[in-house]
Every structure is written in structure tokens, then in C-alpha cells.
Amino acid sequence: MSPLLARLPTRVVAPLASLAAVAIVTGAIELLKDHIPVLSLGVLYTLAVLPVAIAWGMGYAVAVAIASMLAFNFFFLPPLYTLTIADSRNWFALLVFVVTAVVVSELAARSRRRARESALLAEIATSLLERGHVSLELDRIAAEAARALRVDAARIELGDDRPRADGTAEPYPLAAAGRRVGTIYLEHPRQRSAAARRRLLPALASLLGVAIDRERLAREALEAEALRRSDAMKTALLRAVSHDLRTPLMAILTSASALARRDLALDRADRDELVATILGAAERLDHLVGNLLDLSRLQAGAARPEPDLWAVDDLVVQALDEIGQPGPRLDVAFLDESPAVRVDAHHIQRALVNLIENALRYSPPAEPVRVQVSQTEADVLVRVIDRGPGIPAHELEAVFEPFERGSRTGDVPGAGLGLAIARGFVEANGGRLWAESREGQGATFVLALPIAQVPAAVSK
Amino acid sequence: MSEPRVLVVDDEQQILRALRTSLRAAGYEVDTADTAEGALAAAALRPPEAIILDLVLPDGTGTDVARELRKWSSAPVIVLSAVGEEREKVAALDAGADDYVTKPVGIDELLARLRAVLRRTAPSSEPVIVLDQLVVDLQKRSVTVGGEPVHLTPHEFDLLRVLAVNAGKLLTHRMLLEDVWGPAYVGESNLLHVNVSQLRRKIEPDRARPRYLLTEPGAGYRLVNPADL
């Protein structure tokens, strides 16, 4: 509520209520005066002064005090219906009413100020804790502080720079626990609000100090986390190189050295077996090296797409081509009319191949893998649906991290690179890739690419 | 059927295939397992003469398998380890594995290691151990190199005795410290390094190129008969 709106009704309401208060107490005394000595009833007027003092402050309270005294004098003190305050009892009554009015209204005003300041600090604390960024909240905090300190404008600068005189604004240091947090500049500060400044500014400084510390800690935690992640990444890379590269190498070296020895009794079948092992291991090695290269190009930002206009069906067919002949295990559903996308065909093909090969690897051999093209208003979606073990909800994002493999991968070999590469390529082309799964019901990978506007010349 | 039986444990089918075919052609009967549980079951069902054991298995580590095996089998175990698995490798040796090879390994080295572990299925109980020019008399606690007597401190002799009794076998730092100095000293690798270096000074003809007392980096020491190599 703006100050103006708040003031208008007060102007109307406060005098009326004050008058009513005096009238009610006067009426009450009129009713009671037959049973109780009227002089002792005068104290009832404090009941009119009290609420007015609490609600509207000293001005109205003193007015009510005087009105009460006059009413008491006029209606109840002999000579009745005349205003004479020659009697010392009248002076005494007036004094009691006025003192009550002043004391109570001052107490009420003070507690109202304190409440306002507490509310302000609580508000600032909440906004700092919830939104976090101190520097972004400074203007709002300064505005609140200006209201609490009754100045036209305030501005806060962080840091322990020496405050500069700045036009009409007066600098006040914000310091807490011996530490200089910043400076608040107040426009035309009033001498009367010095006490409020003394109360409010240290608390404000402490809050800002805590928030600044919190921000720094959060930043440090983030950096530490990044470091830890990059460490974990290096460890994972080392492990991958150690295990995933050495396993096929070992198979090749063992087989080849056995073939090279003359003294081993290798029959024809043995030799075929060893040669097949070498070929299989070499293929695996090639695949892994290719994936590592793709990943490092993506991470280095070197995989810049060369976009072209493609029909999505085309891209899917190219990916299926590359995978070879999985025969009846793939169940592909296209749209009647293939939406166009503007992407690097090689990138999207790599992503699709990785997704489909993944699905084939984790599905039981008897279960088909479904590839389904659909579209929304803005995107074309390619879903790759398997009937494998599924992915637990908390791993749906983690499986896209390089070298991360889900907990349900069992004894299917792999380095955990395929999905990371797929996502890298899709995102480099402005698309999105995510996983959906119900545990035990298989997993669905959804590749979304923005639909491209086809120039009229092309669609003709 | 006097072919020695070897149990190969690895979760990688390509490695199992390569080893199975090569070892069979080299005159071994080969059993395979691809899990820790399968390895223990196979070793119990058809006790092998030797076991080749991968360190990383889907349901456990090679170390666990070695420890479990040692409770009821004395068949020598060769650990297959990769770079980056040094700690695990030493743990497996401490748990009772006899030797290790580092992946990738050619069939020649693997066959040589296999022959070596099969040769010494039990620690020597001879009172006098002869390794080429090095003669260790366990009863008299005397040592000669090329007929020349060598004076050793009690700890040096105990160290040489443990190595000689297990000649050819890789002994980890932990095993040696525990045997010679006692379980309280298993962390004191310096003690071991100093004594090994003094022992070498006394028994090796050329300290720069040890022939008898070999270092297995990051794992332990091994006393060998140079004539065997």
C-alpha cells in the first residue's frame, strides 16, 4: 500500500473514532454515575485515550485527552453544563489523561517502528536467502531501508571502499563485527531518525555480510564441485583407457602371440578362433577410439555442425544403413509426411546410431526395438524404444554423462560414451535428447529437433 | 590325462576366448569362469593346478576370490591386472595370490609365469637352498656366494631365508615385513628397503643389475635362480 492511500482513510477515520471514543466513555459514565461516585469514574476516559494512542499516535491521543477532560467537566462536574476548570481536580484529570496519551502513544509508536524494522530485516533476510544474489537485490534492499529510515532515497554500495561524498546523499558505513561490508548513501537523512539508523544499519550490515559470505561459499563449493568433477572425469578417463582399451588389446596380443608361436599345437579351428578374436577386438578398439575422438571434439567445441536441410526419415534410414541388418529386431514407424530439419546429417546420424545400437544391446534378443517418428508443433521427435531393464528415475540424467553407465547395464560391455556423444551432437544441432523410463519396462530415448521451414522452391 | 588344468577367470569374453585357445594349444586343460562366484564354484568342482584371475569381476574383486580360495585351495594364482589397479593388485597378492601379469600380456610371458608357479607348488623344505652361485644353509644359518662366505645380520638372514624358501615367488612388502619383523611392522617399508639394499650389497655381484633379488615395482620382491631365466 502506498503511503498516500494509507494516510487518506486515517484522516477521516481517526477523528471520527476519537470522537466516538470520548462519546462512548461519556455515555458509560452517564449510565454508571448513579451507582458509583462520579469523581472516580473520570479515570474511565483513559479507556478512550489508550486505543487512540496505540492506533493513531500522539496527536490524536492528546486531542482525545483534552476532549475527555472537557467532556468530564461539562457533563459531570458541578456546575453541570459549564466549562470551568478552576477546580484543581479538573487540572489533575487533564494531567492524567495527557500523560497517559503521551506515554502510551510513544510506546505504541516505538513498537510500531521496531516492528517495521524487524519486518524489513526479515524481508531482506528472506530475499537474500531465497534469491541468493546479493548484488541483484541491492536496489530493492536500499528502497526498503529508505522507507524504514524515512528518507527519500537510499543506495547501497558493497565493498570496503572509503565512502565518497555524493551530492545530497550522506554516506553511512555498513559494518558488522568489525568488518566493513559496504556503504549506504541516504538522501537528506533527518536528525530525528539517528536512533533508527543506529539500530537498523548494523543489522543490515550483518545480514549483507552473511549473504556475501554465503554467496562466496556457494561459489567456492561450485568451483570445488567443478574441480572434483573434472578430477572424477580424469579418473574415469584413466580407467577407461586402462580397462576399455587394454581389454581388446590384451585379446589381440594374446591371440596374435599364440598364432606367432610355432610350438603351440594349434589346429585349424583354433587358428580361426584366434583370428576371429583379433578381428572382433580390433573392431571394438576402433569403435572406442572413434567414440573417444568424437567426445573430445565435442568437449573441445570442435564439432561445429554444417547444417543442411534434411527430411527426418532420410536421417533415420541412413542411421539404419550404418547399423547394418538387424533384420526383424527393428520396428520402424515413420510419419506420412516427413518433417524437415536443418542439421548436420553426420552428427544426427551418429546420435541415432548410438541410440539404436544401445537399445539393441540392452533389449532381450527376442524383443524388437522400436524407432518411432512423430511431431509436435515445433519439434520432430524420434523415439527409440527398447524393452531392456529400464533406467531408474534418479539415473535418467546421469546416463548422459561420459563414462557413466547405469546400474542396470549388467554384463553388457561398454565404456559409457555412446549416450554422452549422442547428446553432445544433438545439442550442437539445436536439439534435445532425454530419456524416459519405467523401471523394468524398458527405456525410451527421445531425440527432439526443431522443425525447419522448407522454402517454397524446395517443397515444390 | 596328465594335462595340468588351468582355470581362467575374466569377465571379457574376448580375453577368455584368446586365453582358452592359446593355453589349450600349449598343452593345458582349460576351464573358464566370468564371475567371482563362477570361479569359486569351478575351482571347487574341478580343482585346477593353477588359476589365472582378473582383478575386476562383475560380482566382486579378484582379491576376494583369492582370499576365499586360500581357505581351501593351495593352487597358485596369477593375477591379471591393468595399469591403474596397482593397489588392488598388491591387495590380491597379500590375500594369497602368487604372482601377477600386467595387461595386455603376450602368451609367451603368461606361459612362462604359469610354468614358474606350477614348478613351485609348495615352499621348499630343503635345509640347503641353491640358486646358481647363491647357497643358503637354513640349518647352519650360513650363506655363500660362489663359495665365499657372506656375513649377514640376523634380520638380513631372516629376510633372505623367507625369500629363498619361496624362491621364484613374488612376496609383497607386507608379507616380508610381517614374516621378518612381525605384524607390528607391516607399515615400515623403509626398514625393508634398507635391508634389501644391504642384502644386495652382500650377495649381488653387480648391485646395479641384481640377478638374484629382483624388485617388482609397487608390489614387492622376488628371489630367483638366474639360471632359470
Side-chain angles (χ1 to χ4, degrees):
Chain A
M1 219 194 301
S2 88
L4 186 71
L5 272 176
R7 211 173 297 140
L8 265 182
T10 304
R11 274 204 184 140
V12 179
V13 169
L16 288 177
S18 301
L19 236 122
V22 176
I24 287 169
V25 174
T26 305
I29 294 174
E30 178 66 35
L31 287 178
L32 291 169
K33 71 174 184 194
D34 292 340
H35 313 285
I36 300 166
V38 79
L39 265 183
S40 46
L41 285 173
V43 76
L44 285 181
Y45 278 107
T46 50
L47 293 180
V49 175
L50 276 172
V52 172
I54 291 169
W56 294 290
M58 197 185 299
Y60 289 106
V62 170
V64 169
I66 294 169
S68 297
M69 189 273 287
L70 292 177
F72 191 47
N73 188 314
F74 188 80
F75 291 109
F76 303 114
L77 291 183
L80 293 180
Y81 313 119
T82 55
L83 283 175
T84 49
I85 47 173
D87 196 327
S88 60
R89 286 175 304 191
N90 295 343
W91 286 111
F92 180 70
L94 176 62
L95 189 71
V96 169
F97 297 153
V98 170
V99 168
T100 307
V102 169
V103 170
V104 170
S105 58
E106 178 56 30
L107 282 174
R110 191 175 297 175
S111 80
R112 262 200 309 277
R113 267 202 311 277
R114 293 280 163 85
R116 202 166 49 230
E117 287 163 13
S118 306
L120 165 78
L121 290 174
E123 166 96 351
I124 292 174
T126 312
S127 70
L128 281 177
L129 288 180
E130 274 176 0
R131 283 163 235 175
H133 283 289
V134 180
S135 42
L136 299 182
E137 294 294 310
L138 277 186
D139 286 347
R140 253 169 44 82
I141 294 168
E144 303 260 11
R147 228 164 43 157
L149 294 171
R150 311 250 196 97
V151 296
D152 298 337
R155 187 163 50 80
I156 297 175
E157 277 181 10
L158 293 182
D160 51 4
D161 302 333
R162 192 158 280 286
R164 297 165 277 108
D166 180 13
T168 51
E170 191 127 342
Y172 291 89
L174 288 172
R179 179 173 139 221
R180 181 67 179 274
V181 178
T183 309
I184 185 164
Y185 294 88
L186 301 177
E187 203 78 28
H188 301 304
R190 273 182 282 181
Q191 196 52 47
R192 270 181 50 202
S193 54
R197 282 199 298 274
R198 267 200 303 282
R199 281 194 305 274
L200 201 59
L201 294 187
L204 186 61
S206 308
L207 270 182
L208 284 172
V210 167
I212 290 168
D213 286 349
R214 202 181 79 107
E215 214 171 280
R216 183 173 49 80
L217 287 175
R219 206 170 41 237
E220 280 171 9
L222 209 69
E223 281 163 14
E225 172 66 11
L227 262 180
R228 193 192 65 72
R229 280 174 57 102
S230 106
D231 255 18
M233 175 86 190
K234 280 179 200 141
T235 310
L237 185 69
L238 195 67
R239 218 193 74 77
V241 172
S242 165
H243 182 262
D244 301 320
L245 286 177
R246 273 177 200 271
T247 296
L249 261 182
M250 161 103 185
I252 292 172
L253 194 59
T254 310
S255 306
S257 58
L259 283 172
R261 275 179 77 126
R262 311 254 154 166
D263 59 340
L264 293 187
L266 292 168
D267 61 21
R268 173 122 207 165
D270 290 340
R271 287 178 180 278
D272 289 351
E273 171 92 16
L274 290 174
V275 169
T277 303
I278 292 175
L279 289 175
E283 226 163 74
R284 185 168 155 193
L285 210 51
D286 179 56
H287 190 75
L288 182 63
V289 169
N291 272 346
L292 280 170
L293 278 177
D294 276 347
L295 186 72
S296 58
R297 275 169 55 218
L298 279 167
Q299 288 189 335
R304 203 158 296 134
E306 290 174 18
D308 216 335
L309 205 58
W310 289 94
V312 169
D313 292 5
D314 243 9
L315 298 173
V316 173
V317 168
Q318 286 177 45
L320 295 178
D321 260 5
E322 187 177 327
I323 290 166
Q325 299 292 324
R329 284 202 62 199
L330 273 175
D331 167 10
V332 186
F334 292 116
L335 287 173
D336 286 344
E337 211 164 310
S338 176
V341 289
R342 190 175 294 280
V343 294
D344 186 314
H346 173 72
H347 286 183
I348 298 307
Q349 194 185 325
R350 286 246 45 80
L352 283 170
V353 167
N354 282 358
L355 291 179
I356 296 169
E357 282 185 344
N358 219 44
L360 287 169
R361 264 208 298 274
Y362 291 108
S363 273
E367 294 283 353
V369 166
R370 301 189 60 196
V371 178
Q372 202 178 63
V373 180
S374 63
Q375 75 177 89
T376 65
E377 209 151 294
D379 291 325
V380 51
L381 308 178
V382 184
R383 283 196 166 78
V384 179
I385 305 161
D386 70 47
R387 289 267 165 265
I391 306 169
H394 65 276
E395 288 179 4
L396 283 176
E397 267 307 298
V399 294
F400 290 102
E401 294 286 322
F403 303 112
E404 281 290 340
R405 304 190 65 211
S407 55
R408 300 302 176 82
T409 48
D411 53 2
V412 178
L417 292 175
L419 290 177
I421 290 167
R423 178 175 267 187
F425 277 138
V426 170
E427 285 180 353
N429 284 273
R432 285 168 300 137
L433 174 61
W434 69 92
E436 296 167 351
S437 176
R438 266 180 296 166
E439 245 185 296
Q441 305 235 340
T444 299
F445 286 88
V446 190
L447 192 166
L449 294 168
I451 295 174
Q453 293 305 315
V454 182
V458 178
S459 59
K460 270 254 166 86
Chain B
M1 295 298 270
S2 62
E3 290 176 336
R5 190 191 337 267
V6 178
L7 171 62
V8 182
V9 187
D10 199 309
D11 61 329
E12 295 288 347
Q13 293 306 319
Q14 286 179 332
I15 289 180
L16 281 186
R17 268 166 65 187
L19 287 178
R20 190 195 296 121
T21 312
S22 312
L23 291 175
R24 201 173 281 157
Y28 293 95
E29 193 178 328
V30 181
D31 279 347
T32 60
D34 56 9
T35 58
E37 208 186 321
L40 292 171
L45 201 63
R46 290 153 57 92
E49 265 76 25
I51 299 164
I52 296 173
L53 178 63
D54 190 24
L55 275 180
V56 182
L57 297 170
D59 58 342
T61 66
T63 306
D64 297 334
V65 176
R67 189 175 300 118
E68 192 57 36
L69 269 174
R70 275 294 162 267
K71 291 181 186 167
W72 43 266
S73 164
S74 61
V77 172
I78 298 177
V79 163
L80 272 179
S81 84
V83 172
E85 297 173 349
E86 273 74 13
R87 192 173 300 185
E88 189 62 30
K89 172 180 79 188
V90 173
L93 290 167
D94 278 336
D98 294 79
D99 209 339
Y100 73 92
V101 290
T102 303
K103 287 192 214 175
V105 62
I107 198 69
D108 309 277
E109 188 185 344
L110 196 60
L111 288 175
R113 290 295 170 90
L114 203 51
R115 274 198 304 275
V117 294
L118 284 172
R119 240 193 337 259
R120 44 151 214 279
T121 37
S124 165
S125 54
E126 298 287 312
V128 178
I129 298 167
V130 180
L131 300 166
D132 202 19
Q133 302 277 304
L134 175 68
V135 180
V136 183
D137 188 325
L138 299 180
Q139 247 157 22
K140 292 188 202 156
R141 288 180 72 90
S142 72
V143 177
T144 60
V145 176
E148 292 289 314
V150 176
H151 291 286
L152 299 181
T153 67
H155 276 145
E156 285 165 8
F157 182 82
D158 286 344
L159 180 60
L160 185 61
R161 181 179 50 79
V162 175
L163 286 162
V165 165
N166 294 288
K169 182 174 171 176
L170 167 61
L171 300 179
T172 63
H173 297 161
R174 188 193 176 85
M175 290 172 178
L176 290 168
L177 285 161
E178 202 172 304
D179 257 27
V180 177
W181 284 274
Y185 290 85
V186 291
E188 311 283 334
S189 313
N190 289 333
L191 207 56
L192 183 59
H193 298 326
V194 169
N195 276 275
V196 163
S197 125
Q198 280 163 359
L199 198 53
R200 280 209 181 114
R201 191 159 53 83
K202 293 176 182 176
I203 65 169
E204 293 285 359
D206 178 358
R207 276 165 61 206
R209 287 179 205 75
R211 300 170 64 221
Y212 297 103
L213 211 177
L214 307 184
T215 303
E216 295 287 345
Y221 296 99
R222 181 200 309 268
L223 194 70
V224 296
N225 186 346
D228 279 355
L229 296 182

